[in-house]
Amino acid sequence: MRPRTLLALLGAALLVFVGPPLLTTGDGAETGTNIPGLQIMVPNTPGGGYDITARTAGKDAEDAGLNHNIEVFNLPGAGGTVGLSRLVNERGNGKLAMLMGLGVVGAAETNHSPSTLSDTTPIARLVEEPNIVVVSKDSKYRTFEQLRADWAKKPGSVPVGGGSSPGGPDHLAPMMMARAAGIEPKDVNYVPFDGGGELLASVLGGKVAFGVSGLGEYRDQIESGELRLLAVTGPKRTAEFDAPTLKEAGLDVEFTNWRGVVAPPGLDDQERDRLIRFFRKLHGTEEWRDSLERNGWDDAFQTGERYGRFLTAQEKRADSVLKELGL
């Protein structure tokens, strides 16, 4: 074989071995976000706010090339405390994160969970959004004022469904609404579901008079006309739907929900910082910004120790509100 031919063959062989790492693989190597085998746990059923947020984050991260093959899985039960216990038992696992929010805070309080958020490693708060009051398209209630009038007369005969256990956002919001409407919170007929996905069928089927959940969970059903939006619990109306705030509807209540990420305890600084860096990079991507706008989520990004202080304050707030409401 001629020397020139041999050199050409060797050069081609080197390209085969050297070429692929130079290509964009989407594994996060260039951004320092590569966490092989990363899993995101959702502590309730598919279709709810935690589930939608976790799967959106995973997809956006992959689309932006921050990581690849991110596994999102559901472990429902007891308002999120089954997943919380699993997370705490995964001590030192730097490849596991859990999507959670105020619902898990409240469930841990009301279920007297042996595992609490204080046992976890705070990573990042991601989003904030108002709750909404919805009824099915076949409901007799066309305005919040009509619903409020019936609810005030006979609270027990107007069941309200929520996608969280007692102490969670979908429970606290209607309890605060009831108190503002002159209804004793203990008289409210609250029907809990393990996530907005489970709640949806009962609202559509008229098994509850109205539902309280997150806007991002039911946007499609509102747009299609399957659900009627009566009110939003936040301080302002949504840009896309013509529905009053609770204050505009006569109740002095403002309420917003949030979602974030925690990791198992016992992570070393490198593992914790790698997870924080992953979500910080995600927060800066165009893909994530588009998802915020599409889902009507407000950016509430916060990381590390500052987020940890926020979680501690939320645990104290949930306990205080539940006691104040006599619940």
Side-chain angles (χ1 to χ4, degrees):
M1 184 177 293
R2 296 180 181 177
R4 184 175 296 178
T5 304
L6 179 60
L7 287 172
L9 288 173
L10 286 172
L14 283 172
L15 283 174
V16 171
F17 289 104
V18 175
L22 299 178
L23 300 175
T24 301
T25 61
D27 63 2
E30 295 181 358
T31 58
T33 58
N34 182 35
I35 307 176
L38 176 62
Q39 296 179 303
I40 303 177
M41 184 199 312
V42 177
N44 59 15
T45 54
Y50 296 161
D51 187 67
I52 293 171
T53 308
R55 295 183 188 281
T56 299
K59 183 179 185 304
D60 288 351
E62 290 186 354
D63 290 348
L66 302 184
N67 211 327
H68 66 102
N69 297 329
I70 299 170
E71 179 189 355
V72 178
F73 69 97
N74 299 79
L75 184 63
T81 56
V82 170
L84 177 61
S85 296
R86 159 76 182 276
L87 188 82
V88 171
N89 287 332
E90 292 273 351
R91 185 178 185 85
N93 185 352
K95 297 183 178 182
L96 178 64
M98 184 176 81
L99 206 298
M100 47 69 70
L102 184 56
V104 176
V105 176
E109 182 74 28
T110 57
N111 293 339
H112 305 291
S113 171
S115 299
T116 69
L117 289 169
S118 300
D119 299 320
T120 68
T121 301
I123 300 300
R125 186 179 68 181
L126 299 178
V127 299
E128 187 177 56
E129 70 172 346
N131 274 39
I132 55 174
V133 179
V134 292
V135 296
S136 75
K137 65 179 181 180
D138 299 320
S139 171
K140 66 178 181 179
Y141 301 119
R142 306 200 67 83
T143 67
F144 182 80
E145 287 78 5
Q146 293 171 342
L147 169 63
R148 175 186 173 183
D150 276 4
W151 196 26
K153 290 177 185 175
K154 294 183 178 180
S157 64
V158 184
V160 49
S164 58
S165 296
D170 299 353
H171 172 250
L172 291 178
M175 293 302 165
M176 294 170 69
M177 289 161 49
R179 185 179 59 179
I183 302 168
E184 284 293 327
K186 61 182 175 56
D187 293 335
V188 174
N189 182 3
Y190 178 74
V191 185
F193 294 86
D194 199 358
E198 284 193 359
L199 168 64
L200 179 60
S202 290
V203 177
L204 291 174
K207 294 181 180 179
V208 293
F210 67 104
V212 175
S213 190
L215 175 60
E217 297 171 68
Y218 293 160
R219 171 175 275 95
D220 290 346
Q221 289 77 18
I222 296 170
E223 288 179 345
S224 68
E226 292 297 305
L227 289 178
R228 185 178 301 137
L229 177 60
L230 299 186
V232 297
T233 67
K236 59 183 180 180
R237 293 188 178 213
T238 65
E240 56 198 310
F241 299 117
D242 184 24
T245 65
L246 291 177
K247 283 196 171 184
E248 289 175 329
L251 295 186
D252 188 16
V253 174
E254 282 186 9
F255 184 90
T256 55
N257 186 20
W258 57 270
R259 300 188 192 103
V261 180
V262 292
L267 302 189
D268 60 35
D269 290 347
Q270 184 178 1
E271 291 171 320
R272 181 200 62 196
D273 292 346
R274 185 170 61 170
L275 279 167
I276 290 175
R277 184 165 57 249
F278 171 83
F279 284 100
R280 184 177 290 126
K281 290 287 188 179
L282 171 65
H283 174 253
T285 64
E286 183 178 349
E287 287 83 357
W288 182 247
R289 288 193 294 271
D290 289 344
S291 291
L292 291 177
E293 183 175 353
R294 184 172 61 253
N295 289 288
W297 295 334
D298 293 324
D299 187 2
F301 194 68
Q302 196 177 61
T303 61
E305 293 181 1
R306 185 181 174 198
Y307 175 48
R309 292 192 295 271
F310 170 80
L311 289 179
T312 299
Q314 287 291 292
E315 288 182 303
K316 292 179 180 178
R317 177 175 179 258
D319 177 65
S320 175
V321 171
L322 287 167
K323 287 179 178 176
E324 183 182 345
L325 294 173
L327 300 170

